[in-house]
Amino acid sequence: MCEIYVKADPRLYQKRRRSLRVGGVVTTLSLENQFWDTLEEMAAGEAISMPQLVGKLYQEVMDYHGEVSNFASFLRVCCMRYTTQVLPLQQAQNARQAS
């Protein structure tokens, strides 16, 4: 069962820091490479850059909740929701269009 997890490329779970402008302030975020890759994929789907996507997510969570106590964790959850909820819907739509 765990084979699918333990055979993951170690590069995917190495952390990488990036400096981005979020809410008008330059901040440094530390995420695992897998999450940075997913954010890049999400941004490409929206036809915007990854920093623009991160800024948009920040603004939307602030508008909705008024605060975000751990933005890096919020981004990880966004990535998980994308891969478990949004991506399967997109794949199903693409399969229907192809048939």
Side-chain angles (χ1 to χ4, degrees), residues 1-44:
M1 175 193 119
C2 293
E3 200 169 301
I4 192 169
Y5 306 114
V6 299
K7 287 187 175 181
D9 181 348
R11 183 198 76 76
L12 295 174
Y13 51 86
Q14 291 173 341
K15 280 196 174 184
R16 185 171 58 198
R17 298 173 76 79
R18 286 193 174 182
S19 293
L20 304 168
R21 184 170 300 279
V22 178
V25 177
V26 175
T27 187
T28 301
L29 292 169
S30 180
L31 295 172
E32 293 76 12
N33 285 318
Q34 178 80 57
F35 293 110
W36 287 120
D37 293 347
T38 302
L39 288 169
E40 291 283 359
E41 182 179 333
M42 292 166 63

Side-chain angles (χ1 to χ4, degrees), residues 30-87:
S30 180
L31 295 172
E32 293 76 12
N33 285 318
Q34 178 80 57
F35 293 110
W36 287 120
D37 293 347
T38 302
L39 288 169
E40 291 283 359
E41 182 179 333
M42 292 166 63
E46 297 289 324
I48 58 177
S49 70
M50 186 273 297
Q52 288 173 317
L53 174 71
V54 170
K56 183 176 179 182
L57 289 170
Y58 176 80
Q59 190 59 54
E60 289 184 11
V61 74
M62 291 299 289
D63 290 347
Y64 192 78
H65 291 290
E67 67 177 351
V68 58
S69 60
N70 189 330
F71 189 59
S73 292
F74 169 75
L75 290 175
R76 288 184 189 93
V77 170
C78 289
C79 290
M80 293 300 299
R81 291 175 65 91
Y82 172 78
T83 58
T84 61
Q85 296 178 28
V86 176
L87 200 53

